[in-house]
């Protein structure tokens, strides 16, 4: 399976590099966009050194984890963001007539070049501004992968709503933007019912807050719980996709693979 | 008599499929009211039964919306049926889809499986990973397919730069990479020019004769059916209206055969013609007649013509398959499912 995914990532990169200037421009734009936010926080903490116990280093870790996870999601699993559109247009046929698991195949079938910008920004920022210890760096790597898995599972689940609703592109886009937004703010800004939402409907808590806590202070129980969430979310979203496939209505639109 | 389902390449039993379609009588706002469904079931395929033997070449034909693509999508596991069952190479497609995928190939003329911005070789390499094939096996097959489909330098050109015909040759080669036992071809010649269409037909026939691949093809192109397939199944509004040899299809739906006669010397027009015959054109040295239906014998008509004077040339022609199919599409009354099934049990 890993060889299949690796081959796909390589081929997607070839496709992206077919238009090298566009690829470079998008990577650069994402790096600049992320950097502007961190610059904003840097200016903010110059004036107010602490927000609810958060300092600049914590915010850097928040951004580094989120950017790296969303970057890896974009670089490897951006196909997940196309599920709703393809379901609505009846374009899953290609994946259904091949022996590889259609969800895996669909998820890795697209790459967002901007993901490279995000991931590059996240890793460099973490290394340069958070100045992590070796243990923190190791934890960061593992946690970024877990966060990527949770993001992918969440997006697959939301996009798969299209099997039942017919169209789910708008709600799926909002879900992704909501997750990005909440995952890049300090956890302590939110409390009460909002926090419940952030660990359920918009799982920014598992994508960002828990990983940030673990990078700063490793806890095997919490890490185990996060891993369980990642596995559970993957199984649940896969089951939802499989269930949805029973309702799939193929289409006859002309289509080419990008 | 039916063959055992696990012996047939395809065995279909009471297979049906309905879709939910928006009810045109329900207004947009009414769909928001709970209990007001706004959709109604539309039958794409009524319960149908047929079998395809291994190594057979079968065309599934019918007008747009007759249920051809739905049938192929059910048989490849893309769709789940509303009722009935099917076995393809002994497996239930929608339950054993992944296993079945190793055994079948699916080519949709309107849907490319090649990477648009990359050369076909990249897709072949991807398919190697998809079908878990050894690199050495793929190298051998690609070399063989390159020769058979005259792919040559096409393999290394981005797909976006290929012509439709070149692309379709690459699509067929990609579909054969894993040596499938059954190929579903959904309008494989659509949009191709005459030469490319001819090449695709040749390749498909060769897939069958050389590799023993069972061919199940849909097409609106009469020549695809006539030149590639030995048997046709006609779908009309989701029902099988005809199932038999392609030659029988022509006999069954032939309305008239034409006889062109050229006389050595000018002859006068006849007063009467034999029963079941119409004189369509008369010139001093040339007549054109139409003999109605497939049952009227042509021989006595030709003898009657010769009796009118020395004949330089006679040409008897069936209507082209194009006209036969057009007649089938136009005339639903011509298709009596019960009668046809009785005629071709």
């Amino acid at each position: 399976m890993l060889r299949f995914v690796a081959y796909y990532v390589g081929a997607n990169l070839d496709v992206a590099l077919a238009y090298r200037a566009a690829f470079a421009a998008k990577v650069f734009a994402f790096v600049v966009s992320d950097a502007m936010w961190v610059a904003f926080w840097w200016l903010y903490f110059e004036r107010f050194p602490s927000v609810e116990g958060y300092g600049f280093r914590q915010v850097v870790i928040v951004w580094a984890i989120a950017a790296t996870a969303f970057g890896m999601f974009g670089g490897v699993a951006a196909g997940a963001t196309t599920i709703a559109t393809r379901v609505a247009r009846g374009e899953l046929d290609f994946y259904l007539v091949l022996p590889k698991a259609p969800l895996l195949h669909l998820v890795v079938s697209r790459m967002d070049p901007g993901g490279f910008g995000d991931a590059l920004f996240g890793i460099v920022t973490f290394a340069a501004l958070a100045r992590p210890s070796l243990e923190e760096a190791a934890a960061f790597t593992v946690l970024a992968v877990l966060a990527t898995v949770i993001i992918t599972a969440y997006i697959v689940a939301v996009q798969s709503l299209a099997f039942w609703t017919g169209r789910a592109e708008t709600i799926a886009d909002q879900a992704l933007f909501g997750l990005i937004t909440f995952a890049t703010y300090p956890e302590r800004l939110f409390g009460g019912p909002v926090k419940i939402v952030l660990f359920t409907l918009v799982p920014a808590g598992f994508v960002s807050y828990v990983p940030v806590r673990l990078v700063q202070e490793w806890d095997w129980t919490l890490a185990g719980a996060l891993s369980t969430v990642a596995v559970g979310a993957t199984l649940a979203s896969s089951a939802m996709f499989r269930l949805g496939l029973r309702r799939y209505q193929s289409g006859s639109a002309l289509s080419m693979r990008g | 008599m039916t063959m055992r389902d696990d012996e047939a390449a395809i065995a279909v039993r009471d297979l049906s499929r309905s879709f939910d379609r928006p009810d045109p009588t329900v207004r947009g706002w009414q769909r928001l009211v709970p209990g007001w469904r706004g959709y109604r079931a539309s039958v794409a395929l009524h319960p149908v039964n047929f079998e395809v033997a291994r190594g057979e070449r079968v065309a599934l034909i019918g007008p747009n919306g007759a249920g051809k693509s739905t049938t192929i999508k059910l048989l490849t596991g893309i769709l789940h049926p509303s009722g009935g069952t099917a076995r393809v190479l002994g497996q239930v497609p929608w339950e054993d889809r992944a296993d079945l995928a190793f055994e079948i190939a699916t080519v949709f003329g309107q849907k490319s499986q090649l990477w648009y911005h990359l050369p076909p070789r990249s897709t072949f390499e991807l398919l190697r990973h998809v079908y878990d094939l050894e690199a050495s096996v793929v190298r051998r097959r690609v070399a063989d397919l390159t020769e058979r489909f005259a792919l040559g330098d096409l393999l290394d050109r981005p797909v976006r730069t290929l012509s439709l015909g070149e692309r379709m040759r690459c699509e067929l080669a990609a579909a054969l990479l894993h040596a499938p036992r059954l190929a579903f071809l959904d309008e494989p010649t659509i949009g191709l020019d005459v030469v490319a269409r001819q090449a695709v037909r040749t390749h498909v026939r060769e897939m069958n004769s050389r590799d023993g691949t069972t061919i199940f093809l849909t097409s609106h192109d009469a020549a695809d059916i006539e030149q590639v397939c030995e048997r046709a199944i006609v779908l009309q509004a989701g029902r099988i209206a005809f199932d038999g040899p392609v030659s029988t299809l022509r006999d069954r739906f032939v309305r008239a055969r034409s006889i062109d006669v050229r006389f050595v010397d000018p002859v006068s027009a006849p007063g009467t013609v034999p029963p079941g015959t119409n004189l369509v054109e008369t010139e001093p040295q040339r007549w054109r007649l139409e003999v109605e239906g497939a049952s009227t014998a042509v021989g006595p008509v030709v003898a009657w013509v010769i009796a009118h004077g020395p004949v330089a040339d006679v040409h008897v022609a069936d209507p082209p398959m194009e006209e036969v199919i057009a007649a089938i599409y136009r005339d639903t009354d011509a298709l009596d499912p019960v009668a046809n099934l009785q005629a071709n049990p």
Side-chain angles (χ1 to χ4, degrees):
Chain A
M1 186 179 91
L2 283 177
R3 285 173 62 188
F4 172 71
V5 173
Y7 178 78
Y8 236 116
V9 172
N12 282 333
L13 195 56
D14 284 347
V15 172
L17 289 173
Y19 300 96
R20 211 170 299 177
F23 176 81
K26 193 158 187 190
V27 170
F28 180 69
F30 271 62
V31 170
V32 170
S33 165
D34 292 345
M36 284 173 67
W37 276 102
V38 173
F40 160 78
W41 281 110
W42 179 73
L43 291 169
Y44 182 89
F45 282 111
E46 283 290 296
R47 200 174 165 89
F48 311 102
S50 175
V51 178
E52 298 277 335
Y54 259 59
F56 181 61
R57 186 173 191 267
Q58 281 77 26
V59 170
V60 163
I61 296 173
V62 167
W63 267 86
I65 285 271
T68 307
F70 281 106
M72 290 200 293
F73 170 72
V76 177
T81 61
T82 67
I83 293 173
T85 306
R86 294 189 196 203
V87 169
R89 297 173 60 171
E91 290 178 356
L92 297 185
D93 298 10
F94 170 76
Y95 303 96
L96 294 174
V97 296
L98 295 177
K100 278 280 180 275
L103 178 57
L104 171 71
H105 198 165
L106 184 55
V107 161
V108 300
S109 68
R110 283 278 186 286
M111 165 186 286
D112 177 2
F116 286 93
D118 275 339
L120 182 70
F121 173 85
I123 293 165
V124 170
T125 302
F126 184 67
L129 299 181
R131 298 187 178 278
S133 64
L134 208 59
E135 289 80 10
E136 285 178 328
F140 176 86
T141 308
V142 172
L143 293 163
V145 171
L146 284 178
T148 306
V149 171
I150 294 171
I151 292 168
T152 307
Y154 175 64
I155 296 304
V156 166
V158 177
Q159 294 263 342
S160 295
L161 288 174
F163 285 116
W164 288 271
T165 60
R167 304 297 297 264
E169 296 95 319
T170 307
I171 191 172
D173 287 347
Q174 292 304 318
L176 179 59
F177 294 142
L179 188 61
I180 292 172
T181 303
F182 284 110
T184 49
Y185 279 92
E187 175 185 3
R188 290 181 193 168
L189 289 180
F190 310 109
V194 177
K195 205 154 192 175
I196 294 172
V197 170
L198 295 180
F199 279 92
T200 51
L201 287 179
V202 185
F206 297 115
V207 169
S208 170
Y209 311 154
V210 173
V212 169
R213 274 191 237 167
L214 283 167
V215 166
Q216 296 182 102
E217 191 176 348
W218 187 259
D219 175 342
W220 281 106
T221 309
L222 194 56
L226 187 66
S227 304
T228 306
V229 167
V231 172
T234 303
L235 293 176
S237 61
S238 304
M240 191 172 162
F241 180 84
R242 273 202 308 278
L243 207 62
L245 274 183
R246 298 186 64 86
R247 302 173 54 87
Y248 173 61
Q249 301 194 358
S250 176
S252 57
L254 289 164
S255 64
M256 293 293 296
R257 302 187 67 206
Chain B
M1 188 54 221
T2 59
M3 62 191 95
R4 273 177 42 197
D5 286 0
D6 54 354
E7 286 174 351
I10 301 172
V12 169
R13 305 277 174 255
D14 295 323
L15 190 66
S16 66
R17 172 71 201 214
S18 301
F19 292 100
D20 276 349
R21 303 277 188 229
D23 184 343
T25 63
V26 175
R27 294 180 183 175
W29 63 268
Q30 289 173 325
R31 293 182 208 284
L32 298 173
V33 180
W36 216 330
R37 203 160 162 265
Y39 291 87
R40 61 182 173 196
S42 161
V43 181
L45 195 65
H46 292 276
V48 294
N49 294 278
F50 65 86
E51 289 161 354
V52 175
R54 297 187 186 221
E56 214 177 350
R57 302 187 306 275
V58 178
L60 183 66
I61 60 176
N64 290 330
K68 303 185 299 295
S69 292
T70 298
T71 304
I72 282 201
K73 285 168 184 172
L74 287 166
L75 296 179
T76 50
I78 290 173
L79 294 177
H80 285 67
S82 304
T85 189
R87 283 192 176 272
V88 177
L89 298 172
Q91 309 197 64
V92 178
W94 47 93
E95 287 174 4
D96 311 314
R97 188 170 39 77
D99 290 337
L100 179 63
F102 283 106
E103 307 284 338
I104 65 170
T106 313
V107 176
F108 294 104
Q110 301 188 68
K111 295 179 182 181
S112 177
Q113 67 167 324
L114 302 171
W115 255 306
Y116 189 60
H117 293 291
L118 296 181
R121 196 183 291 282
S122 298
T123 299
F124 289 1
E125 187 59 19
L126 167 71
L127 291 173
R128 175 170 90 77
H129 289 86
V130 166
Y131 290 104
D132 298 326
L133 299 169
E134 293 291 329
S136 57
V137 171
V138 170
R139 266 198 303 277
R140 264 202 318 276
R141 290 211 183 126
V142 169
D144 177 45
L145 293 165
T146 300
E147 190 187 329
R148 281 169 62 181
F149 289 80
L151 300 183
D153 69 328
L154 303 183
L155 279 183
D156 297 307
R157 280 169 44 194
V159 170
R160 65 172 185 274
T161 66
L162 302 181
S163 71
L164 266 180
E166 291 170 337
R167 181 173 71 71
M168 188 48 71
R169 269 155 52 205
C170 294
E171 295 275 1
L172 285 174
L176 291 183
L177 198 66
H178 63 292
R181 291 195 287 152
L182 167 61
F184 290 98
L185 309 173
D186 193 1
E187 303 201 32
T189 59
I190 193 165
L192 303 184
D193 64 33
V194 177
V195 176
R197 279 205 298 261
Q198 198 57 47
V200 167
R201 286 173 201 136
T202 305
H203 292 313
V204 172
R205 275 202 308 271
E206 201 179 290
M207 281 164 64
N208 175 260
S209 62
R210 182 168 155 170
D211 306 328
T213 311
T214 306
I215 303 294
F216 194 80
L217 171 148
T218 76
S219 180
H220 291 294
D221 188 323
D224 288 352
I225 297 152
E226 201 166 25
Q227 294 176 25
V228 174
C229 299
E230 54 205 348
R231 176 179 153 205
I233 298 173
V234 179
L235 275 179
Q236 188 71 270
R239 291 188 167 88
I240 292 182
F242 176 88
D243 182 355
V246 172
S247 56
T248 314
L249 180 74
R250 173 178 263 130
D251 293 343
R252 170 75 177 79
F253 296 103
V254 160
R255 301 292 165 86
R257 279 164 294 171
S258 67
I259 302 176
D260 269 292
V261 187
R262 195 159 54 79
F263 292 98
V264 175
D265 302 310
V267 294
S268 54
T272 57
V273 293
T277 307
N278 299 310
L279 191 60
V280 180
E281 282 179 36
T282 54
E283 293 172 20
Q285 277 183 270
R286 185 174 167 273
W287 292 356
R288 194 159 78 81
L289 300 103
E290 272 185 3
V291 180
E292 293 171 2
S295 56
T296 308
V298 172
V301 179
V302 173
W304 171 81
V305 167
I306 291 171
H308 286 77
V311 170
D313 190 21
V314 175
H315 184 238
V316 181
D318 280 333
M321 182 60 92
E322 193 81 31
E323 278 181 26
V324 175
I325 290 174
I328 293 171
Y329 285 12
R330 271 196 309 267
D331 186 3
T332 53
D333 295 337
L335 302 168
D336 177 350
V338 177
N340 276 300
L341 287 175
Q342 284 169 348
N344 303 281

